[in-house]
Amino acid sequence: MLDRPNTSTETNPGTKGQSPPPGSLQLAKWPPDDADLPGGGPVGAPPAPPAPAGGGGDYGDGDFKKGRFNPVTIIGGLLIAALGGGLLYYGLKTDAESMTVEQVVKEKKNIFVLPIKDQIPRWRKWAADPNEWALQQEALIQLAYAEDPEGIALATKAVAQPDHRIKGIAAQVLAYYGSPKADGAKPALLAALKEADDSDRPQIVWALVTLKEPQVFDAALDQYRKGFLAKVERLGGGTAFDPEMLAQLVPLDKFAALANDPSASVRQLVATLLSRDANPKWTQTLITLVKDKDVEVGRVAATGLGKIGDETARAPLLSALSTSDGESRQKFLEALRDGIGGEGLVLALQSVKSDPPEKEWFQTKQILDMVKDVADPRSGEALVKWLETKKPVLHWQGEAGTRLAEVGDIRAAKYLGERMRADPLKLYSQERFWEADEGGHLSRTDLPRVVASRMLADLAMIHQDKKEELKAAAEDSVLFWIKDKPQPHANGLRFLAAVKSEKATNDLRNWAFPKDPLPKEGAQPPFPPAFETAQSALRYIGMMKDEPSYPKLLAQLKRKTDKKMDITQDSLAGAGLAMLGMSLRAVGYGAAQGLGQWGDPQASKPLMELIEDETWHEEARLAACDALAWCADDKTMSEVAKKARDYASKKEPRKQIIGACYASTLTLKPVPSVVPELADLLTIDLDPGLRMNFARAIGVGGFDQATEGKLFEKLKDPELRNAAALALILGGTPETAARTVAMYGDFGQDALNDLKDHYFRAFGYWSDEDFNKGNIYRWVANAEAIARIKVSDVPQEWSRQRLQSQFDNLKFDNGPHSETRVVLRYRLWQDAKKGAPERKKGAIQTLKFMKERGVLMALRGEQGETGEMAKKAFFELMNPKAGLPDEKLGDLQKAAQKSAGGKGDKQ
């Protein structure tokens, strides 16, 4: 990614009218203020063509660096432009008046709510109308998003219009269609280029570059020198400039000849292109560039030397790294990360200084932290080679092993297994003050082993066919670690259960079913450790599917022998029952999770009995509702839907809790057969909270056309509107989701804000079923579709921002069948490589959505459509659209984290 040239424009402070920033397309303000029109013209008058920037001054690196233009020339140009604009306005004005801003907004809304097949004819009409520029702009954009073939012809015609606002948008649209689809537009674009001004010339030039028109090369290089081309935006936002497209116009030798160009910007472009090609024949040129007086040029050239990989190339790279420090070193490393990926960062480990020892620590940590951030699957080979040749101390072996595990590399197990035996008090010394992380000195924490055990568990979930290999590498050491502690850590139990460890079975049984008696009534704190351990162990004995333990798991649901004893949260606040009640809650909660991990339909009835027992603790019953989703068959789930409705309709609070609990069951596992019944249950008689649970369940399961019709009908009722909308957004197609949100143009901002919050809270955690059924891909596609439409002429980007924030909550295991980010990342990577075409597309779109640049970098090397999609996704990820932050999102995230409580293992 090139971050330069970067041109700023300074104008006379007393000048109100000014041209748009060169090279960046400006959508004309609607309506313009009087002060924004040259000469204070009337509102509604077409603005004059912008004055040429720069006043004929030097366009070389001097002006590029200073970013200054001649204010006198600008003022003179504006006066001429104002006169020309006034003549154009009065010369072209017809009897028909332009639409008002309210009419334009209403027309857009009326189109957005239609099915796409009905939208396209309306957009085509406006795309062909030069008299309503605001609607013509929107129409051209929406036809491109819809991939309508006629949009190409309409954009080609629009390029010939005199209005520069339309020319620029039309050029963006043609660039979006790309080659070969829009190749027929080249003559029109070349003709438009002759009449272009600074407001649309960069867009027209870039459109020709994307269509691989060699005639535009000189003009493109000229625009690049001036700093304009790098500011061009692609349709939908984000930088459009991609050096690789420019390189397609001429042989790379022509660029190599510019390595000594006086413009630092051009030399940086040369370094970028030669680095991406990474042919050994460019070694000497890149060596020259890595030593460039402009450090930015050197950093870019460093990536090329790293890719070439021989000693001739790498020696100057490592030399440049070794002599850089502080911020300069960080930027060098970022260039290697973004240009090569994880392999480039591992290469940089060779530049770490061994003296003084604190510098070695900080530089190694800096690099391995960046390896974590990029999460590039290709870094595995380089990391293993570094580990085997460098033989680092055990701390760095563990960190490098963790980096391997984070990308699903099973070779991590060997290094993590060895790390699990290292006691922090023996491995670290207080005298070495630098042996610390964000949490303090490492001698005082066992966090590295906690993380290592979590990574081992994730590897076991990823490589379920390689249990023996994982056991050989880490079974003994993990068992040693958890038995060396007063209480076994849940991450260790998760790993041992996932690999079906025979060595751990007896210990796991003893932990899950302690012989300690339950506390007696009136018992005082502390809480018995045996029952604290049992809660996790019960879950993992269920994951292991240990047959002798199954009856004991069911028996835990009956541990409260006194039917009248009330151990609900409110009752435990009174004296006498706290220790007993919380111990019963622990075994009930753990057993429910264990049964959920097991997934045996025979457990459905005992779980439902616990759910309906109003005297049991609410958290244990909620865990039972979650477990029921993984145990129940479709017939039982239909019964669950009816029970949810029946209990929710009762007035007693405890009955409604049962209804809400059953409703949560329906949100976890897709059961399409019960969805029509759930849609019928969305009535005004149903508790509002339950409506949202039912809406989520409908969205998880997906629905047919008949159910979609029912839901759209319910949008008309203000009481049911947001529940129906949530179901449509989650369960419908991208078109359905976008149409639903577009309808809120008539419902008011308060209703829309309420929908946004319900949408955020609809995603608790991702389950393996969500991945297998493609729900995650649907939700991502729908969020992207919503972000492209407008309500009251405002883009609805909240859908993208709020869903992305939920992907950030996947660090830890969140309960039975949940996906961690490590596991999901690996599965998406494999789906992108080996899945069916639609799943490949969904996986790559989701990886971009999750900002997984390392995996996308790796996928760029795949053959065919996969590689092309990954290249496009990576470019867009690295050149994102600038958007306004969602101010309420932080509060929603804090609330979600607080309510998540202890569903999984959070360490």
Side-chain angles (χ1 to χ4, degrees):
M1 172 183 173
L2 288 182
D3 54 2
R4 46 188 296 177
N6 178 20
T7 304
S8 62
T9 304
E10 296 180 10
T11 58
N12 189 317
T15 304
K16 289 187 178 180
Q18 64 183 47
S19 60
S24 62
L25 181 65
Q26 298 292 305
L27 293 180
K29 189 159 70 173
W30 181 257
D33 299 321
D34 284 357
D36 292 330
L37 294 170
V43 172
D58 177 17
Y59 273 116
D61 234 20
D63 255 0
F64 155 61
K65 297 265 189 190
K66 296 174 187 173
R68 289 190 170 88
F69 298 93
N70 189 328
V72 175
T73 306
I74 291 176
I75 295 170
L78 287 171
L79 291 173
I80 296 170
L83 177 60
L87 292 174
L88 179 64
Y89 172 69
Y90 289 109
L92 297 181
K93 188 177 180 185
T94 65
D95 291 335
E97 292 294 330
S98 295
M99 294 172 69
T100 65
V101 61
E102 290 81 8
Q103 289 171 328
V104 169
V105 171
K106 184 176 181 180
E107 176 64 8
K108 289 181 184 179
K109 189 274 296 182
N110 289 341
I111 300 175
F112 279 130
V113 300
L114 296 172
I116 195 68
K117 65 181 179 60
D118 297 326
Q119 286 188 30
I120 287 176
R122 299 272 290 272
W123 289 130
R124 287 173 181 169
K125 167 182 171 288
W126 289 118
D129 188 345
N131 298 314
E132 291 293 345
W133 60 265
L135 280 168
Q136 189 179 20
Q137 282 185 339
E138 190 70 59
L140 290 168
I141 292 169
Q142 295 302 327
L143 288 175
Y145 286 155
E147 299 182 1
D148 178 35
E150 288 193 31
I152 297 171
L154 290 163
T156 303
K157 186 176 179 181
V159 163
Q161 291 178 208
D163 191 335
H164 290 276
R165 298 168 299 192
I166 299 300
K167 284 178 182 286
I169 280 287
Q172 275 189 315
V173 165
L174 291 168
Y176 181 88
Y177 280 106
S179 182
K181 291 180 182 178
D183 283 351
K186 290 180 185 179
L189 286 165
L190 286 167
L193 184 57
K194 296 176 182 178
E195 302 173 358
D197 66 13
D198 284 333
S199 71
D200 59 9
R201 185 178 293 110
Q203 285 74 36
I204 295 171
V205 167
W206 187 248
L208 286 162
V209 171
T210 63
L211 299 180
K212 305 175 184 178
E213 174 50 63
Q215 293 184 60
V216 81
F217 176 75
D218 290 337
L221 196 59
D222 174 66
Q223 289 290 295
Y224 180 78
R225 283 181 185 277
K226 294 174 182 176
F228 298 166
L229 204 60
K231 288 177 175 280
V232 175
E233 290 193 350
R234 62 183 184 271
L235 203 65
T239 301
F241 180 69
D242 184 351
E244 286 190 14
M245 290 190 175
L246 196 58
Q248 294 173 357
L249 301 182
V250 295
L252 272 181
D253 297 270
K254 188 165 183 176
F255 283 99
L258 299 171
N260 295 313
D261 193 274
S263 165
S265 302
V266 172
R267 297 198 305 276
Q268 184 181 348
L269 176 63
V270 173
T272 299
L273 294 173
L274 299 187
S275 293
R276 292 190 180 184
D277 187 54
N279 190 312
K281 76 176 184 176
W282 309 126
T283 299
Q284 291 306 316
T285 306
L286 286 169
I287 288 174
T288 299
L289 290 167
V290 84
K291 300 173 183 177
D292 195 276
K293 61 184 179 182
D294 188 303
V295 70
E296 294 291 342
V297 176
R299 288 170 187 148
V300 176
T303 67
L305 293 173
K307 285 182 182 177
I308 291 171
D310 59 34
E311 287 305 314
T312 303
R314 291 193 173 183
L317 163 61
L318 294 174
S319 174
L321 265 172
S322 297
T323 55
S324 64
D325 215 337
E327 184 180 349
S328 180
R329 179 179 176 81
Q330 177 70 24
K331 287 185 178 295
F332 252 114
L333 294 172
E334 288 171 359
L336 289 171
R337 177 196 66 197
D338 297 339
I340 304 176
E343 294 170 293
L345 292 168
V346 177
L347 169 65
L349 286 168
Q350 296 180 37
S351 72
V352 170
K353 296 178 180 178
S354 58
D355 190 55
E358 57 265 36
K359 174 163 278 192
E360 180 180 29
W361 178 278
F362 293 130
Q363 288 191 346
T364 305
K365 184 178 187 301
Q366 177 187 32
I367 292 172
L368 288 178
D369 283 350
M370 292 177 74
V371 174
K372 174 185 176 66
D373 180 56
V374 74
D376 182 355
R378 300 169 303 167
S379 62
E381 201 63 45
L383 274 169
V384 170
K385 184 178 179 181
W386 178 74
L387 283 164
E388 295 301 320
T389 55
K390 175 73 174 176
K391 301 293 183 183
V393 297
L394 201 52
H395 171 79
W396 295 124
Q397 175 179 316
E399 289 297 298
T402 300
R403 299 297 88 83
L404 286 167
E406 285 163 349
V407 294
D409 194 320
I410 196 170
R411 291 175 292 184
K414 168 189 171 184
Y415 305 107
L416 293 177
E418 292 173 2
R419 176 66 183 84
M420 292 302 298
R421 291 186 176 274
D423 188 320
L425 290 173
K426 297 177 181 177
L427 185 58
Y428 307 105
S429 170
Q430 288 280 350
E431 295 175 355
R432 299 190 290 270
F433 65 87
W434 54 86
E435 293 181 341
D437 62 12
E438 294 76 7
H441 200 274
L442 289 168
S443 64
R444 298 177 177 175
T445 176
D446 208 13
L447 185 60
R449 285 199 287 185
V450 171
V451 173
S453 62
R454 172 154 45 88
M455 291 298 102
L456 285 166
D458 280 348
L459 285 173
M461 301 306 297
I462 290 169
H463 300 288
Q464 297 185 29
D465 58 334
K466 296 182 179 179
K467 292 182 175 64
E468 294 306 314
E469 184 176 342
L470 289 165
K471 282 195 283 188
E475 180 182 29
D476 289 341
S477 56
V478 171
L479 192 55
F480 161 80
W481 175 60
I482 62 175
K483 293 178 75 173
D484 191 47
K485 298 292 179 183
Q487 290 179 270
H489 196 282
N491 285 342
L493 297 179
R494 180 168 168 250
F495 168 72
L496 294 167
V499 297
K500 304 260 191 298
S501 169
E502 294 87 354
K503 293 179 181 179
T505 301
N506 284 334
D507 291 305
L508 196 55
R509 289 170 181 165
N510 290 335
W511 285 319
F513 311 112
K515 296 179 180 178
D516 304 47
L518 286 165
K520 297 185 180 297
E521 289 189 44
Q524 298 299 305
F527 185 75
F531 292 99
E532 187 177 351
T533 299
Q535 178 173 310
S536 288
L538 284 163
R539 175 186 171 186
Y540 294 116
I541 202 78
M543 177 186 279
M544 189 179 278
K545 294 190 176 181
D546 177 46
E547 290 292 344
S549 297
Y550 187 74
K552 293 183 178 181
L553 271 176
L554 291 174
Q556 303 308 303
L557 306 182
K558 305 287 188 183
R559 290 291 293 272
K560 189 172 75 69
T561 54
D562 183 349
K563 302 290 185 183
K564 295 181 179 179
M565 180 187 294
D566 190 329
I567 57 169
T568 59
Q569 185 64 36
D570 287 343
S571 296
L572 293 185
L577 282 179
M579 293 301 101
L580 173 58
M582 292 307 292
S583 296
L584 287 169
R585 172 224 166 264
V587 296
Y589 188 100
Q593 286 203 323
L595 292 167
Q597 290 281 181
W598 201 304
D600 184 0
Q602 295 182 58
S604 297
K605 184 178 179 181
L607 287 168
M608 292 169 80
E609 290 174 354
L610 178 67
I611 292 165
E612 295 177 20
D613 187 338
E614 298 174 22
T615 64
W616 260 90
H617 197 277
E618 294 87 345
E619 290 178 3
R621 290 155 68 197
L622 283 170
C625 284
D626 289 353
L628 184 58
W630 307 114
C631 297
D633 55 23
D634 284 4
K635 181 180 179 181
T636 304
M637 289 300 286
S638 181
E639 183 182 350
V640 167
K642 293 174 182 175
K643 283 178 173 287
R645 176 196 60 195
D646 293 344
Y647 277 102
S649 66
K650 300 182 184 298
K651 295 182 179 180
E652 301 95 320
R654 290 196 173 192
K655 302 293 185 187
Q656 290 187 342
I657 287 173
I658 298 171
C661 190
Y662 275 132
S664 71
T665 302
L666 300 171
T667 67
L668 283 179
K669 184 180 177 182
V671 186
S673 62
V674 305
V675 166
E677 299 175 47
L678 297 180
D680 290 334
L681 293 177
L682 290 180
T683 64
I684 58 174
D685 298 326
L686 191 65
D687 176 82
L690 285 178
R691 284 185 216 146
M692 288 303 166
N693 274 344
F694 282 6
R696 289 170 57 199
I698 294 167
V700 171
F703 44 75
D704 56 20
Q705 195 168 357
T707 302
E708 180 179 303
K710 291 180 184 177
L711 293 169
F712 270 118
E713 189 66 25
K714 291 177 187 291
L715 286 176
K716 298 175 183 178
D717 188 329
E719 291 291 323
L720 305 178
R721 179 172 294 147
N722 280 346
L726 183 64
L728 287 163
I729 290 171
L730 298 180
T733 63
E735 175 188 339
T736 297
R739 287 178 58 208
T740 300
V741 175
M743 290 180 178
Y744 275 71
D746 288 335
F747 301 156
Q749 190 61 43
D750 288 344
L752 181 58
N753 288 339
D754 193 37
L755 176 63
K756 293 178 186 180
D757 293 349
H758 286 304
Y759 175 79
F760 176 84
R761 289 190 284 265
F763 304 102
Y765 63 85
W766 314 127
S767 73
D768 48 17
E769 281 292 302
D770 289 328
F771 172 76
N772 294 333
K773 298 290 187 182
N775 290 340
I776 293 175
Y777 298 161
R778 181 175 73 244
W779 295 330
V780 169
N782 288 3
E784 294 284 11
I786 292 168
R788 287 178 168 179
I789 60 102
K790 296 175 182 176
V791 175
S792 301
D793 227 26
V794 177
Q796 299 301 292
E797 295 181 356
W798 55 267
S799 59
R800 185 187 290 132
Q801 294 173 349
R802 295 194 177 198
L803 183 58
Q804 281 177 332
S805 73
Q806 290 290 25
F807 277 103
D808 294 335
N809 295 331
L810 301 180
K811 183 176 180 181
F812 305 110
D813 163 73
N814 282 296
H817 296 268
S818 65
E819 295 274 74
T820 66
R821 192 175 185 108
V822 168
V823 175
L824 181 58
R825 177 194 294 136
Y826 185 87
R827 289 176 175 170
L828 290 170
W829 177 38
Q830 297 304 305
D831 227 9
K833 290 199 297 183
K834 304 172 185 177
E838 279 304 306
R839 287 192 69 91
K840 282 185 178 183
K841 180 180 178 182
I844 290 172
Q845 187 178 26
T846 302
L847 286 163
K848 184 186 85 169
F849 202 83
M850 292 172 64
K851 303 179 182 178
E852 292 287 355
R853 54 185 161 182
V855 180
L856 289 174
M857 291 177 87
L859 288 169
R860 290 185 305 176
E862 295 291 316
Q863 297 297 313
E865 188 180 17
T866 299
E868 291 303 313
M869 287 193 295
K871 286 176 186 176
K872 184 174 183 289
F874 178 74
F875 178 80
E876 291 175 355
L877 172 59
M878 298 301 289
N879 296 276
K881 176 184 179 181
L884 294 175
D886 187 334
E887 295 180 357
K888 194 176 178 182
L889 188 54
D891 294 336
L892 288 169
Q893 289 171 322
K894 289 178 183 177
Q897 290 166 1
K898 184 176 180 181
S899 66
K903 273 203 167 187
D905 301 311
K906 305 284 184 183
Q907 296 184 43

